Every structure is written in C-alpha cells, then in structure tokens.
Amino acid sequence: MIETGTEPESRAERKLRTRRAILDATLELCADSSLTALSLRQVAKQVGIVPTAFYRHFDSIESLGLALVEESFDSLRDLFRDVRRNARADQDIVDGSIDALVDHVHRRRDHFGFIARERVAGPRSVREAIHREIELCERELATDLALMTGTDIWTAKDLHVLSSLFVTVLVATAEQILSTTRPEQEAQIVATVRTQLRMLLVGVYQWRSEG
C-alpha cells in the first residue's frame, strides 16, 4: 500500500479552519473601522463562504465580536502576566512593564487594535465584555501588587486603585503606540510613560493607607 504521508482533513478540522478564517477576516476588516459598521456579508465574502455558512460558527456579528474579545484578552492577559511577574519579583516594575507592553503590542497588533477600537465604538455587549475583562485584569494585578515592597500594609481598596492606575496607563500607552508608525514618535511615547510610571512608583513607596 502506498502511503501519501497526509491524512484527509476531517469535518471538525475544516470547521475549525473556517472559524479561524472568519476571526482573522473580521480583525482585518475592522482594522480601520468597527464591528458596528461590519456586515455578515462582508465577512462571508472576505472568507469565501456563503452568508448562511457564517451561522454554523456564530449567531451574529456581536457573538463573533465576543469571541474576538475573549481571544484578544488572551493577548492582554499575557501582557499583564509579565507585569505581575515583575511585581512578584520586586524588580524594576516600570522598565519590565514597558518592555513587555511594547513587545506584546508589536506581536499582536491586531488584538490590541481591536480592543482599543471596540471598547469605545463597538456594540454595547462587546464594550461591556471588554470592560469586564479589564476589571478582571485589575483585580488580578492588585493581588500581586500586594507583594511589592511597601504595599503589604495597604488596604484592598488602595491596592485596587494602584492596579487600576497601572492598567489605565498601560492600555492608554498601547493605544498611542498603535496610532503611530514612526519609530521616533514611539520612542517618545515610551520615554514619557516610563517617566510617568516612575513618578507613580515614588508615590507608592511613600503611601500609607488610612484606616
């Protein structure tokens, strides 16, 4: 018997491949727009399937958007995982966080761009999902920031305020990096946020929770 070395693609594998193609096509089509301006037919045409085939994978454009939120936040969680690792090690959390931010944004520009656009212009269900995911990132970061020098006596409320500040600055910086293609401008953005976070860190070491 002659072996071809390859096995025919199963139905499940074809379905996964088509689903992946739909997700990728949506990221590409939304690069300069938003889900609110996207139609099912546009996605189907980009993928090369009939519109009815779309419903084998997603119930609607919004459900597609929610799947992309989940996928995109896998990338964002990778970033904050690196940030938390720096916090646990009590290293220079500023330089470590910024280096991780720039690296992740460049590697998953499509995901970070999706989050940046849809959290302000996406369908309501998608905006709410992004908001919940960001809050989860803040709670997870607060737990690890409690291990930093000087924060062990902080209240849970103050730790959440600090984690919220870090997340807000990092998300805003990611959006600024996404908005430019000029290396010198990106370098200026990075230098500015580095100074901002170092100023913030000075306050962290001096802060004492009340009550």
Side-chain angles (χ1 to χ4, degrees), residues 12-188:
E13 289 171 333
R14 284 197 303 272
K15 187 173 183 179
L16 284 174
R17 181 166 53 81
T18 303
R19 187 180 190 276
R20 178 72 262 161
I22 291 172
L23 292 168
D24 290 341
T26 303
L27 287 172
E28 184 178 346
L29 290 168
C30 286
D32 298 310
S33 182
S34 170
L35 282 171
T36 55
L38 191 64
S39 73
L40 181 154
R41 289 185 177 277
Q42 284 177 285
V43 177
K45 181 179 180 181
Q46 182 81 355
V47 177
I49 58 176
V50 295
T52 53
F54 176 92
Y55 293 108
R56 298 172 192 163
H57 305 274
F58 301 100
D59 296 332
S60 64
I61 288 292
E62 285 197 18
S63 68
L64 167 59
L66 292 174
L68 281 170
V69 169
E70 182 177 356
E71 181 176 274
S72 296
F73 268 88
D74 284 342
S75 296
L76 193 60
R77 271 189 288 271
D78 284 343
L79 165 61
F80 288 121
R81 192 175 296 117
D82 285 349
V83 173
R84 296 200 306 273
R85 187 179 299 116
N86 289 332
R88 284 197 297 268
D90 206 20
Q91 298 167 352
D92 187 348
I93 188 173
V94 171
D95 287 336
S97 299
I98 294 172
D99 291 344
L101 173 68
V102 173
D103 176 60
H104 283 283
V105 171
H106 282 296
R107 283 195 290 112
R108 294 317 312 252
R109 195 176 187 92
D110 52 351
H111 283 160
F112 282 91
F114 177 81
I115 294 170
R117 287 187 303 274
E118 302 306 322
R119 79 186 187 107
V120 294
R124 180 176 179 179
S125 61
V126 172
R127 295 197 313 270
E128 290 175 347
I130 291 173
H131 180 70
R132 288 193 299 270
E133 291 285 355
I134 289 177
E135 284 189 332
L136 178 60
C137 288
E138 291 174 354
R139 289 197 298 271
E140 291 174 346
L141 181 58
T143 300
D144 291 307
L145 288 175
L147 302 178
M148 285 179 60
T149 303
T151 61
D152 53 322
I153 58 173
W154 283 29
T155 63
K157 180 179 178 181
D158 284 355
L159 283 168
H160 184 264
V161 170
L162 177 60
S163 68
S164 179
L165 280 170
F166 264 106
V167 170
T168 297
V169 170
L170 292 176
V171 169
T173 303
E175 292 176 353
Q176 290 181 64
I177 292 173
L178 289 166
S179 69
T180 183
T181 57
R182 296 167 54 193
E184 66 275 14
Q185 191 170 15
E186 179 180 309
Q188 184 57 51

